[in-house]
Amino acid sequence: MAASRRRRRTAAVAATVAAIALTAGLTTGCAAVDKALDCVQTADAIADSVTDLQQAAENAANDPTQLGESLDSIEQNLGEIGDKTDNADVDKAVGDLEKAVTNVRTAIENGDETPDISPVTDAAGELTKVCTP
């Protein structure tokens, strides 16, 4: 089921990227198109990492290291998106997601084997929204 969701999300992101490229190419310069595409691509990578985080949370009893690895992946992608944009809405969404990731990491460090990851998924959804024109 997760693979099916990932395929649908990937298809939706591909359609969004195509629409952005077409629309932005007609109305703005190349630099703006590149930034928009970078934002969408990185948001998609974060969405994949969040999916991995959800799966890791479900399997935490079997392999607790997966949670940390998924959080690391999200943080790495957040660093990339932060470097590629100067949009205030994107910056806020990145900050909210960073805070949510930090809270989950703190919960894990405090011994919570099944932390609430819904703030991470919510913040990732918001990032995806602000990256989509």
Side-chain angles (χ1 to χ4, degrees), residues 90-115:
V90 172
D91 288 342
K92 181 183 179 330
V94 166
D96 291 346
L97 186 50
E98 286 173 336
K99 181 179 177 183
V101 166
T102 298
N103 290 342
V104 170
R105 192 177 299 280
T106 300
I108 292 167
E109 290 169 357
N110 290 336
D112 188 349
E113 294 180 7
T114 56

Side-chain angles (χ1 to χ4, degrees), residues 48-122:
D48 287 343
S49 297
V50 170
T51 299
D52 292 343
L53 177 64
Q54 290 170 322
Q55 291 172 347
E58 291 171 10
N59 298 322
N62 297 335
D63 186 1
T65 63
Q66 285 182 350
L67 283 169
E69 291 170 5
S70 295
L71 293 171
D72 291 345
S73 178
I74 293 169
E75 287 177 329
Q76 178 183 0
N77 288 321
L78 285 172
E80 290 176 21
I81 201 169
D83 293 343
K84 293 178 181 177
T85 185
D86 57 1
N87 180 293
D89 292 334
V90 172
D91 288 342
K92 181 183 179 330
V94 166
D96 291 346
L97 186 50
E98 286 173 336
K99 181 179 177 183
V101 166
T102 298
N103 290 342
V104 170
R105 192 177 299 280
T106 300
I108 292 167
E109 290 169 357
N110 290 336
D112 188 349
E113 294 180 7
T114 56
D116 178 15
I117 62 168
S118 62
V120 174
T121 59
D122 293 345

